[in-house]
Amino acid sequence: MNSLTTLVEARFDPHYHNKYATLMAAGNGALGIRATHEEAYTTQTRGMFFAGLYHRAGEGETTELVNLPDLVGMEIELNGDIFSLLSGEILSYRRELSFASGELARIVEWRSPHGQRFTLKSERFVSDTRPGLFCLRLAITPHDGPATVRVATGIDATQTNSGRQHLAERELRVFENSYLQARYRTLDNVSDVTLGCACRVSPQAQVSFSAKNRRLLQHSQQTLAKGECFTLEKCAWVSASPDAPDDNAAAAALATLRECATLGYDALMAESSAARRLWWRQARVEVESDCRQDQQALDFALYHLRAMTPRHDERSSIAAKGLTGEGYKGHVFWDTEVFLLPFHLHTAPAVARQLLRYRWLNLAGARRKAARGGWQGALFPWESARSGEEETPEFAAINIRTGLRQKVASALAEHHLVADIAWAVAAYWQATGDDAFMAQEGRELLEETARFWLSRTRDVNGRLELHDVIGPDEYTEHVNNNAYTSYLAHHNVALAQGVRRRLGVPDDAFTAQCDDFLARLYLPGARADGVIPQDDTFFSKPTIDLTRYRASAGSQSVLLDYSRAEVNEMQILKQADVVMLLYMLPWRFDNATAAANLDYYEPRTIHDSSLSKAIHGIVAARCGRRDEAYRFWRAGCDIDLGDAPHSSDDGIHAAATGAIWLGAVQGFAGISVKAAELHVTPSLPPQWRRLAFPFCWQGRQLHLVITHDALTVSSDHAVRLFINDTAVDINGERTFSLSDSPCREAT
Amino acid sequence: MNSLTTLVEARFDPHYHNKYATLMAAGNGALGIRATHEEAYTTQTRGMFFAGLYHRAGEGETTELVNLPDLVGMEIELNGDIFSLLSGEILSYRRELSFASGELARIVEWRSPHGQRFTLKSERFVSDTRPGLFCLRLAITPHDGPATVRVATGIDATQTNSGRQHLAERELRVFENSYLQARYRTLDNVSDVTLGCACRVSPQAQVSFSAKNRRLLQHSQQTLAKGECFTLEKCAWVSASPDAPDDNAAAAALATLRECATLGYDALMAESSAARRLWWRQARVEVESDCRQDQQALDFALYHLRAMTPRHDERSSIAAKGLTGEGYKGHVFWDTEVFLLPFHLHTAPAVARQLLRYRWLNLAGARRKAARGGWQGALFPWESARSGEEETPEFAAINIRTGLRQKVASALAEHHLVADIAWAVAAYWQATGDDAFMAQEGRELLEETARFWLSRTRDVNGRLELHDVIGPDEYTEHVNNNAYTSYLAHHNVALAQGVRRRLGVPDDAFTAQCDDFLARLYLPGARADGVIPQDDTFFSKPTIDLTRYRASAGSQSVLLDYSRAEVNEMQILKQADVVMLLYMLPWRFDNATAAANLDYYEPRTIHDSSLSKAIHGIVAARCGRRDEAYRFWRAGCDIDLGDAPHSSDDGIHAAATGAIWLGAVQGFAGISVKAAELHVTPSLPPQWRRLAFPFCWQGRQLHLVITHDALTVSSDHAVRLFINDTAVDINGERTFSLSDSPCREAT
């Protein structure tokens, strides 16, 4: 394995504070911490999140992932000057996140407003092995004579979610003149959080403590000779009991903190780093490309895919912004099943199983939501948190015409996620053959979701139609017979029918209903030119010139010129539903159809959704359009890694990181599953020379290496796969030439 | 009247952000706004408060004055550079608060990090005539070529009280592309707040609106030629209904805002300024002094005395920090009756009446608190908000020995405030002769407070003692027979007895109890050296060297070295109870006793209470120790106006501003009331040449002018007063020589 890349911030620029706080965030699936600077800036938003710890701040508010009391902040005073990179002079600056170790380091040379030079170095990480552990180390060296250094840091509970406070202070303590501990309870009295930290400084430093205005701080002060170094090593432990208060947690948390603090930064870092190294071996995608950033984008994506996934807790799933920001309030969308689950399914299938169990455990809420709408089965919430209830906020932005805030319609009609979850259940079963899962969780999920669709139809002159739905394209609301929704619903019901028959469940009224549904559901067919209508009315709507809006894709700038209602009445796509459909059910459409729909819909698509470009890229790759595919893939990488200063302020685009992996593996390596067969149809872009990655399939650990000419596959057990549609059996390692058709083993 | 002084901040220094935000705060008794800069700094705490609008953020929290959504903040971007005085270069800086008009103006010349020069000028005020009105005007001029100016401002509800959020967002609206309105409700669903603002910019500016993350903003952008000026005039209206939700308030608030915005900054400023001018004529204290700052201190004090006093609402009283900060959570202490009420009593007696009615309206809570303790009558809460219930927080700072936070004992045993309120009732009656008040509110307050003391005693071998109390000196807790408490309790019961007899109420069991109490209550007498014991055990405690702690008076630094329990067992005073007693009941003690007690207690006093030095000064003045009195008075002025950067971070020391007036009027002018007679015994410090002020007494409007040689008194109606103990009658203007004894009219 080549050495992993890093992410470097070479310049201090307040416009980019929140972007880098997101991109360089640390996390282990349980705990996520934004990469804000130790010193405060008004332009930076701090953030620390514990997976599953949600709370609603009051009536009319939305349940959100709690932004926890801050552990990162440090008030640093150097000879009386408040340390801030806005003042004085920056002599050098570099911040670097190591994807290999997960360590973030910053080194700054600074001339204070009084003209004295200092070097400040900080390092930090969230442990990959200990779920609540965060360590931070600060070193300060004066270069122009003696200096008095003051640092105040601890636990700062003035932190809010954009002004919404979720936690009441329960107890603040300082144990043994060393260990700060703060206990909080959510205002609804349901969840407890305990934060503890120890800040080790040299024995020469004077230390005192304060507890005021929700800040529990250690104040350390030391006078240094020129060249002497002040160091502060902060070891912090965060624990939470999201489902019930726990008054006994404090003692255990203190014991754990004491143990960690005794081990110290270096030992804890080594332990965490070793665990990460092992994981990278199971997951890393290596690429040789003309473009240096491609490997970085893949490393970045996988780093975040690991950081965002709550492997420790099946009652949590992956939030749309992971654990990196307040965006989308920490809610779980269909993004998880469609964009994120495949990565886990093929690198650590148990994680994929857990993500599906999250939905299964929340079936009760989904049944309630269906019943509220007058339907049967399970209608999962459009936005989900811990309770499984619908969490979509009521209002979005202000309507520029009326001055009123606009209602969010997704929770009412964006029902495709029901079928998306079923799609993921099937994908899991095909990839793992986990019959035990399918017999319990899988079957129940497929049946309950199918039951929803059976009840959701309307009989129109003998055919069943799906009315008043919203597809993934949220710029087209409340339409009938949306192609994406209908095809996926059909797939969902077919899956339920299929699994029952395979499990030998006798036919009954439900089976009969499924047969009827599958026979009579209206699936919009292609026109003569191959283009499938997105819905019943789409073709009849006018088009406008989208050049300007496409140039600022992702910004939703079209909504500054048109109201949502106006956008709805034009051929303007946030993302293209039919392209998404081609991606999801590739075996239903031939390449000519795919190409025709790409050509029709892409120019009408603004790509204002971060889910859009990457999927276009994969469909393009499958059509053999390698340049176009690569362009889209790169654009997908730029959603977070591009130059736009504020695109990631609220957190990482979790689905987009998943799509970076999907693009490489499903797009360029051309991996797909058809009728339970694993197909590999490589389509490397001209810029790439080599693509290599591990891949789990039905209990086998495969490894694939793809060049323009050859494909090398190794497997730890016998496995059959289809390379460019030719069946090959592998046990050990085999290399195939890709120049021939059908493919042949290279010599 | 000489022209009023101003307060100037000549230098930008982040260490002083919160001090000046407090000192220069604007207010009209209803609305108070901290003088934070338009641009954000991490070191500055914004604050806007509406008198009477309290809320408790959750279980275990303390009721506090809500820090409202911010109206001051502006994100300013100049040619892409975020405007901050920490970056770029400050070419000139000046901020000035006019005490006459209440207008705060800042003018800054700034060189941006890109090297371009700009002038930024801002002006603002809170209206003296319209309770919810705040106006702010910003002007920006580029000097080095064209520039694009972006300003985002509006209503920012991310503001919290140090992380505690009290308000849920109810509705955000933009009316007529001009008027932003945001409605909030406290989380307990009891109170509503509506904020509205209009931000007028030139027609050349582009304007848009956003509502995200609790910020409702107008974004204005304009490209200026060199020398051209961008102006933004923000007119804001704040209204609150503290006692019940009010869904109809929004329309009225919008109408009021529209009316104000139509009038515009200049007209509204002129109107407010005219009202202030009138008020200054009724209240101003003029001084000719060797020390320039003395007049400024007096103007400063009176400016804040007006800003902090909720004249519009008798359900509110004056908070310990006025409306200038979160300190003491906006609670009302005995400070109001003892330190603040006298100023109002002698400049606007109706305000003093209202402050007493606040207590009377809260008698129910005081009765409940007494009953909870097993007593009778009324025990007012040590800290009071709107409900009249006890609001003292449970915990204070962390104990350095145990790591535990220390309980606040004041609510349990600091009972003297009961007698302090009675003392103020009597002062009001004497100064106004308001028999109607005395027949209802006054009598009930005096009887109910007396009833408390009757039940509070313990019979010790035939004498009545007051055990387990805390006097004003909070460094000595849970003592028996505290001199201050016992003498004041005696005064309280005597007042109740006296008013009943004067009102002709027949004697009954209560009267008999009063007689018994007055006869048998133990009042600690002076030792042979004249020193009165602060309590039963004080003289037996050891002393330590307090030099270091006295040098940093006000910082409570002694508590960094000793626990409260240890301080309690030494002769260490936060403020001297016996000196306070001498101040309160001067007619009970002769000058020799006063001097003996000053000499004994002062060296044992750290003056860690802001209430301490000023009172020592007044007692010293009454003893004829003019130098000492002046030294203490100046030290009292420096509590807020001195150089200490953080002394006023949490808000103004309201009582200290009252004490600046008290020092001049009761100390140096020597005004006191003995047996309902008004005495004037001037004791001008050598540094002062002339002291002049208006004074209300029994419906007469007096004006006094004092020099070292003479006293000129004018009165609009016939009045008798005692100058250096000589009775004189005045109707019109008379001048007396102070060189003679008894005083004689000057010729």
Side-chain angles (χ1 to χ4, degrees):
Chain A
M1 193 166 72
N2 296 330
S3 65
L4 278 107
T5 58
T6 65
L7 184 65
V8 172
E9 185 193 38
R11 203 167 67 88
F12 176 83
D13 182 343
H15 289 289
Y16 285 85
H17 272 162
N18 286 317
K19 184 184 188 88
Y20 279 99
T22 292
L23 301 190
M24 293 181 157
N28 59 15
L31 186 66
I33 303 184
R34 285 171 64 75
T36 52
H37 297 285
E38 286 81 13
E39 69 280 8
Y41 296 98
T42 59
T43 40
Q44 95 185 341
T45 305
R46 298 204 188 275
M48 183 167 86
F49 308 94
F50 198 92
L53 192 79
Y54 294 91
H55 180 258
R56 198 164 69 99
E59 215 182 319
E61 296 286 357
T62 304
T63 299
E64 61 190 347
L65 197 60
V66 177
N67 198 341
L68 293 170
D70 176 61
L71 293 168
V72 171
M74 298 194 170
E75 294 166 24
I76 302 170
E77 218 179 277
L78 303 176
N79 270 346
D81 281 318
I82 297 167
F83 173 64
S84 164
L85 293 176
L86 291 174
S87 68
E89 189 185 350
I90 300 170
L91 304 172
S92 72
Y93 177 91
R94 184 181 174 85
R95 197 150 64 129
E96 184 164 8
L97 171 65
S98 159
F99 294 130
S101 68
E103 191 178 48
L104 176 69
R106 185 184 78 167
I107 185 155
V108 174
E109 280 187 289
W110 184 66
R111 197 194 311 275
S112 76
H114 282 95
Q116 293 151 325
R117 286 175 306 130
F118 295 88
T119 298
L120 294 96
K121 184 177 182 190
S122 75
E123 297 155 299
R124 61 171 93 155
F125 67 97
V126 166
S127 171
D128 203 54
T129 49
R130 303 180 187 241
L133 181 65
F134 171 61
C135 296
L136 198 163
R137 182 157 64 185
L138 174 72
I140 302 175
T141 313
H143 298 301
D144 295 322
T148 297
V149 172
R150 289 180 202 220
V151 178
T153 189
I155 302 165
D156 180 355
T158 63
Q159 182 66 50
T160 62
N161 288 66
S162 300
R164 290 175 298 276
Q165 182 55 264
H166 298 285
L167 301 176
E169 257 182 8
R170 298 272 297 173
E171 195 181 38
L172 304 181
R173 290 287 299 268
V174 179
F175 294 98
E176 302 153 41
N177 265 298
S178 294
Y179 301 99
L180 287 69
Q181 188 179 72
R183 290 170 51 208
Y184 307 94
R185 185 161 291 174
T186 49
L187 296 179
D188 63 3
N189 286 316
V190 168
S191 314
D192 272 4
V193 189
T194 303
L195 277 77
C197 69
C199 302
R200 294 267 166 84
V201 291
S202 85
Q204 285 79 48
Q206 285 176 278
V207 166
S208 66
F209 302 95
S210 68
K212 197 184 169 194
N213 292 339
R214 294 180 69 97
R215 287 192 175 100
L216 176 62
L217 299 178
Q218 175 174 326
H219 303 262
S220 310
Q221 175 171 344
Q222 190 176 354
T223 300
L224 306 169
K226 175 178 164 177
E228 196 184 352
C229 184
F230 167 88
T231 59
L232 184 149
E233 193 174 304
K234 184 171 184 174
C235 179
W237 184 262
V238 181
S239 57
S241 47
D243 300 315
D246 180 3
D247 282 321
N248 301 319
L254 180 64
T256 309
L257 172 64
R258 197 183 277 117
E259 180 195 326
C260 293
T262 306
L263 286 168
Y265 188 99
D266 289 322
L268 293 164
M269 177 74 240
E271 173 192 277
S272 170
S273 196
R276 281 186 184 268
R277 261 197 306 279
L278 276 180
W279 175 76
W280 277 111
R281 272 196 221 132
Q282 299 163 35
R284 191 176 188 216
V285 180
E286 289 183 273
V287 65
E288 288 175 22
S289 169
D290 297 346
C291 174
R292 223 173 35 76
Q293 284 88 6
D294 288 353
Q295 181 65 61
Q296 186 190 43
L298 283 158
D299 289 345
F300 167 82
L302 268 62
Y303 167 85
H304 277 290
L305 284 164
R306 179 149 181 92
M308 72 178 69
T309 306
R311 306 182 301 278
H312 65 298
D313 175 15
E314 65 178 13
R315 293 290 316 282
S316 296
S317 184
I318 308 171
K321 301 287 187 184
L323 299 168
T324 65
E326 293 178 13
Y328 291 118
K329 301 188 175 296
H331 293 172
V332 180
F333 292 71
W334 67 302
D335 308 32
T336 299
E337 283 77 12
V338 172
F339 290 82
L340 300 167
L341 184 135
F343 164 76
H344 297 292
L345 180 54
H346 298 298
T347 55
V351 174
R353 182 174 187 275
Q354 184 189 306
L355 295 172
L356 293 172
R357 273 184 56 84
Y358 165 81
R359 294 293 191 180
W360 182 72
L361 289 165
N362 283 335
L363 264 171
R367 285 198 191 96
R368 278 193 293 274
K369 183 174 173 188
R372 275 198 305 277
W375 299 299
Q376 299 183 344
L379 170 55
F380 283 95
W382 177 246
E383 301 187 21
S384 182
R386 194 168 184 85
S387 71
E389 299 297 328
E390 180 59 74
E391 308 284 8
T392 307
E394 203 177 345
F395 293 107
I398 284 199
N399 181 308
I400 51 161
R401 303 253 187 271
T402 63
L404 285 162
R405 300 176 85 188
Q406 301 175 109
K407 289 235 176 192
V408 177
S410 301
L412 304 175
E414 199 161 349
H415 291 163
H416 62 82
L417 94 150
V418 171
D420 301 329
I421 291 168
W423 175 91
V425 169
Y428 173 74
W429 192 26
Q430 288 175 333
T432 60
D434 183 348
D435 288 333
F437 174 85
M438 188 48 90
Q440 185 178 1
E441 296 94 333
R443 180 182 159 192
E444 195 175 2
L445 282 167
L446 291 180
E447 283 184 5
E448 287 297 282
T449 49
R451 232 181 278 280
F452 168 72
W453 292 116
L454 298 180
S455 70
R456 181 67 174 77
T457 56
R458 176 172 299 191
D459 188 320
V460 178
N461 300 322
R463 79 180 186 191
L464 298 178
E465 302 194 354
L466 289 169
H467 286 193
D468 189 24
V469 296
I470 305 174
D473 166 33
E474 292 173 340
Y475 284 173
T476 312
E477 292 180 349
H478 302 298
V479 291
N480 296 342
N481 301 313
N482 170 265
Y484 180 88
T485 307
S486 296
Y487 276 90
L488 265 289
H490 189 275
H491 180 58
N492 186 353
V493 173
L495 288 170
Q497 182 73 302
V499 79
R500 281 169 69 96
R501 290 195 171 138
R502 169 140 175 200
L503 292 171
V505 182
D507 281 4
D508 58 9
F510 173 71
T511 330
Q513 264 192 292
C514 289
D515 285 338
D516 179 59
F517 177 94
L518 294 170
R520 291 204 293 139
L521 183 71
Y522 169 51
L523 296 177
R527 298 193 303 202
D529 60 0
V531 180
I532 298 165
Q534 176 167 310
D535 58 61
D536 281 0
T537 53
F538 189 80
F539 287 151
S540 66
K541 294 175 179 173
T543 58
I544 60 165
D545 180 7
L546 296 178
T547 314
R548 194 151 60 89
Y549 309 121
R550 282 167 57 92
S552 61
S555 70
Q556 308 205 0
S557 58
V558 68
L559 296 178
L560 300 178
D561 294 337
Y562 297 96
S563 72
R564 274 195 173 260
E566 289 165 336
V567 167
N568 202 45
E569 296 310 315
M570 296 186 282
Q571 289 195 19
I572 300 176
L573 304 181
K574 191 175 175 191
Q575 63 188 98
D577 283 0
V578 174
V579 176
M580 191 74 210
L581 168 61
L582 298 169
Y583 165 73
M584 294 286 279
L585 308 177
W587 58 87
R588 289 201 72 128
F589 308 98
D590 58 24
N591 277 359
T593 305
N597 282 282
L598 266 184
D599 290 341
Y600 182 84
Y601 283 108
E602 204 283 322
R604 290 163 170 80
T605 305
I606 300 180
H607 300 292
D608 268 346
S609 164
S610 64
L611 311 178
S612 187
K613 287 190 177 173
I615 296 301
H616 276 80
I618 295 170
V619 175
R622 287 179 182 161
C623 295
R625 300 178 172 188
R626 300 180 184 210
D627 272 317
E628 188 181 335
Y630 181 71
R631 248 189 349 264
F632 276 123
W633 185 79
R634 275 244 49 92
C637 296
D638 282 347
I639 287 171
D640 284 312
L641 290 169
D643 287 336
H646 297 294
S647 60
S648 309
D649 283 1
D650 295 342
I652 209 84
H653 294 80
T657 64
I660 291 173
W661 184 89
L662 293 176
V665 172
Q666 300 191 349
F668 304 132
I671 288 193
S672 64
V673 177
K674 292 177 192 163
E677 297 169 351
L678 182 66
H679 286 254
V680 188
T681 312
S683 182
L684 277 204
Q687 293 82 353
W688 286 14
R689 293 180 295 283
R690 181 177 177 273
L691 170 64
F693 56 92
F695 193 88
C696 292
W697 175 251
Q698 295 188 336
R700 276 71 175 163
Q701 182 61 58
L702 311 187
H703 192 267
L704 291 86
V705 179
I706 302 168
T707 64
H708 287 283
D709 305 320
L711 164 61
T712 302
V713 187
S714 64
S715 173
D716 57 354
H717 294 87
V719 67
R720 163 164 293 193
L721 46 78
F722 296 79
I723 299 175
N724 290 343
D725 292 325
T726 306
V728 299
D729 293 297
I730 295 164
N731 193 356
E733 183 175 302
R734 289 181 70 188
T735 298
F736 303 92
S737 162
L738 296 173
S739 328
D740 311 311
S741 176
C743 85
R744 279 195 304 201
E745 187 149 16
T747 46
Chain B
M1 193 166 73
N2 296 330
S3 65
L4 278 107
T5 58
T6 65
L7 184 64
V8 173
E9 185 193 39
R11 203 167 66 90
F12 176 84
D13 182 343
H15 289 288
Y16 285 84
H17 272 162
N18 286 317
K19 184 183 187 89
Y20 279 98
T22 292
L23 300 189
M24 294 182 157
N28 60 14
L31 186 66
I33 303 185
R34 285 171 65 75
T36 52
H37 297 285
E38 286 81 14
E39 69 280 8
Y41 295 99
T42 59
T43 40
Q44 95 185 340
T45 304
R46 298 205 188 275
M48 182 165 88
F49 308 94
F50 198 93
L53 192 79
Y54 294 92
H55 180 257
R56 198 164 69 99
E59 215 182 319
E61 296 285 357
T62 305
T63 299
E64 62 190 344
L65 197 59
V66 177
N67 198 342
L68 292 171
D70 175 61
L71 293 168
V72 171
M74 299 194 170
E75 294 165 24
I76 301 170
E77 218 180 277
L78 303 176
N79 271 346
D81 281 318
I82 296 168
F83 172 64
S84 164
L85 293 176
L86 292 174
S87 67
E89 190 186 349
I90 300 170
L91 304 172
S92 73
Y93 177 92
R94 184 181 174 86
R95 197 150 64 129
E96 183 164 9
L97 170 65
S98 159
F99 295 130
S101 68
E103 190 178 47
L104 176 68
R106 185 184 78 166
I107 184 156
V108 174
E109 281 187 288
W110 184 65
R111 197 194 309 277
S112 75
H114 282 95
Q116 293 151 323
R117 286 175 307 130
F118 295 88
T119 298
L120 293 95
K121 184 176 183 192
S122 75
E123 298 156 299
R124 62 171 93 155
F125 67 96
V126 166
S127 171
D128 202 54
T129 49
R130 303 179 188 242
L133 182 65
F134 171 61
C135 296
L136 197 164
R137 182 156 64 185
L138 173 72
I140 302 176
T141 313
H143 298 301
D144 296 322
T148 298
V149 172
R150 288 179 202 220
V151 178
T153 190
I155 302 165
D156 180 354
T158 63
Q159 182 65 52
T160 63
N161 288 66
S162 300
R164 289 175 299 277
Q165 181 56 263
H166 299 285
L167 301 175
E169 258 182 6
R170 299 271 297 172
E171 195 181 39
L172 304 180
R173 291 287 299 268
V174 179
F175 294 97
E176 302 154 40
N177 264 297
S178 294
Y179 301 100
L180 286 68
Q181 189 179 71
R183 290 169 51 208
Y184 307 94
R185 185 160 291 173
T186 49
L187 296 179
D188 63 4
N189 286 317
V190 168
S191 314
D192 273 3
V193 189
T194 303
L195 277 77
C197 69
C199 301
R200 294 267 166 83
V201 290
S202 84
Q204 284 78 50
Q206 284 176 278
V207 166
S208 66
F209 302 95
S210 68
K212 197 185 169 192
N213 292 341
R214 294 180 69 98
R215 286 191 174 100
L216 177 62
L217 299 178
Q218 174 173 326
H219 303 262
S220 310
Q221 175 172 343
Q222 190 176 354
T223 300
L224 306 169
K226 176 178 164 177
E228 195 185 355
C229 184
F230 168 89
T231 60
L232 185 148
E233 194 174 303
K234 184 171 184 174
C235 179
W237 184 261
V238 181
S239 58
S241 48
D243 300 315
D246 180 3
D247 283 319
N248 302 318
L254 180 63
T256 309
L257 172 63
R258 197 184 275 117
E259 180 195 326
C260 293
T262 306
L263 286 167
Y265 187 99
D266 288 321
L268 293 164
M269 177 75 240
E271 174 192 277
S272 171
S273 195
R276 280 186 183 269
R277 261 198 307 276
L278 277 179
W279 174 76
W280 277 112
R281 272 196 223 132
Q282 299 163 36
R284 192 175 188 216
V285 179
E286 289 184 273
V287 66
E288 287 176 22
S289 169
D290 296 346
C291 174
R292 220 173 36 77
Q293 284 87 6
D294 289 353
Q295 181 64 62
Q296 186 190 43
L298 283 158
D299 289 344
F300 167 82
L302 268 63
Y303 167 85
H304 277 290
L305 284 164
R306 179 149 181 91
M308 72 178 68
T309 306
R311 307 181 302 279
H312 65 298
D313 175 16
E314 65 178 14
R315 293 291 316 283
S316 295
S317 184
I318 307 172
K321 301 287 186 185
L323 299 169
T324 66
E326 292 178 13
Y328 292 119
K329 301 188 178 295
H331 293 171
V332 180
F333 292 71
W334 66 301
D335 308 31
T336 300
E337 283 77 13
V338 172
F339 290 82
L340 300 168
L341 185 135
F343 164 76
H344 297 292
L345 180 53
H346 298 296
T347 55
V351 174
R353 181 174 188 275
Q354 185 189 304
L355 294 172
L356 294 171
R357 273 184 55 84
Y358 165 82
R359 294 294 192 182
W360 181 72
L361 289 166
N362 285 334
L363 265 170
R367 286 198 191 95
R368 278 193 294 272
K369 182 173 175 188
R372 274 198 305 276
W375 300 299
Q376 299 183 341
L379 171 55
F380 283 95
W382 177 246
E383 300 188 21
S384 182
R386 194 168 183 85
S387 71
E389 298 298 328
E390 180 59 74
E391 308 284 9
T392 307
E394 204 177 343
F395 293 106
I398 283 199
N399 182 308
I400 52 160
R401 302 256 185 271
T402 62
L404 284 164
R405 300 175 84 188
Q406 301 174 111
K407 289 235 176 195
V408 177
S410 301
L412 304 175
E414 199 161 349
H415 291 163
H416 63 81
L417 94 150
V418 171
D420 301 330
I421 292 168
W423 175 92
V425 168
Y428 173 74
W429 193 26
Q430 288 176 333
T432 61
D434 183 349
D435 289 332
F437 173 85
M438 188 47 91
Q440 185 177 2
E441 296 94 333
R443 179 183 160 192
E444 195 175 1
L445 281 167
L446 292 181
E447 284 185 4
E448 287 296 282
T449 49
R451 230 181 280 279
F452 167 72
W453 292 116
L454 298 180
S455 70
R456 182 66 175 78
T457 56
R458 175 172 300 191
D459 188 319
V460 178
N461 300 324
R463 79 179 185 192
L464 298 178
E465 302 194 355
L466 290 170
H467 285 194
D468 189 23
V469 296
I470 306 174
D473 165 33
E474 292 173 340
Y475 284 173
T476 312
E477 293 180 347
H478 303 296
V479 292
N480 296 344
N481 301 313
N482 169 266
Y484 180 87
T485 307
S486 297
Y487 276 89
L488 266 289
H490 190 274
H491 180 59
N492 188 161
V493 173
L495 288 170
Q497 182 74 302
V499 79
R500 282 169 68 97
R501 293 198 168 135
R502 172 142 171 200
L503 292 172
V505 183
D507 281 4
D508 57 10
F510 173 70
T511 333
Q513 265 192 290
C514 290
D515 286 337
D516 180 59
F517 177 94
L518 294 171
R520 291 206 292 140
L521 182 71
Y522 169 51
L523 296 177
R527 298 194 303 203
D529 60 1
V531 180
I532 298 165
Q534 177 167 308
D535 57 60
D536 281 0
T537 53
F538 189 82
F539 287 151
S540 66
K541 294 176 179 174
T543 57
I544 60 166
D545 180 7
L546 296 180
T547 314
R548 194 150 60 90
Y549 310 121
R550 281 167 57 91
S552 59
S555 70
Q556 308 205 0
S557 57
V558 69
L559 296 179
L560 300 178
D561 295 338
Y562 298 96
S563 72
R564 275 196 173 259
E566 289 165 337
V567 167
N568 202 47
E569 295 311 315
M570 296 186 283
Q571 290 196 19
I572 300 177
L573 304 182
K574 191 175 175 192
Q575 64 188 97
D577 283 359
V578 174
V579 175
M580 190 73 211
L581 168 61
L582 298 169
Y583 165 74
M584 294 287 278
L585 308 177
W587 59 86
R588 289 201 72 129
F589 308 98
D590 58 27
N591 278 358
T593 305
N597 282 281
L598 265 185
D599 291 341
Y600 182 83
Y601 283 108
E602 204 284 323
R604 290 163 170 80
T605 304
I606 300 181
H607 301 291
D608 268 345
S609 165
S610 64
L611 312 178
S612 188
K613 286 191 177 174
I615 296 302
H616 275 80
I618 295 170
V619 175
R622 287 179 182 160
C623 294
R625 300 178 172 190
R626 299 179 184 211
D627 274 317
E628 188 181 336
Y630 181 71
R631 244 186 355 261
F632 276 122
W633 185 80
R634 275 246 47 93
C637 296
D638 282 346
I639 287 171
D640 283 312
L641 289 169
D643 287 335
H646 297 294
S647 60
S648 308
D649 283 1
D650 295 342
I652 209 83
H653 294 81
T657 65
I660 291 173
W661 184 88
L662 293 175
V665 173
Q666 300 190 350
F668 304 132
I671 289 194
S672 64
V673 177
K674 293 178 194 162
E677 297 167 352
L678 183 66
H679 286 253
V680 187
T681 311
S683 181
L684 277 203
Q687 293 82 354
W688 286 14
R689 293 181 296 282
R690 179 176 178 274
L691 169 65
F693 56 92
F695 193 87
C696 290
W697 175 252
Q698 295 187 338
R700 277 72 173 161
Q701 182 60 57
L702 311 187
H703 193 266
L704 291 86
V705 179
I706 302 168
T707 64
H708 286 282
D709 305 320
L711 164 60
T712 302
V713 187
S714 64
S715 173
D716 57 354
H717 294 87
V719 68
R720 163 164 295 193
L721 45 79
F722 296 81
I723 299 175
N724 291 344
D725 292 325
T726 307
V728 298
D729 292 297
I730 294 164
N731 193 356
E733 183 175 302
R734 289 180 69 185
T735 298
F736 303 93
S737 164
L738 295 173
S739 326
D740 311 311
S741 178
C743 84
R744 279 194 303 200
E745 188 149 15
T747 45

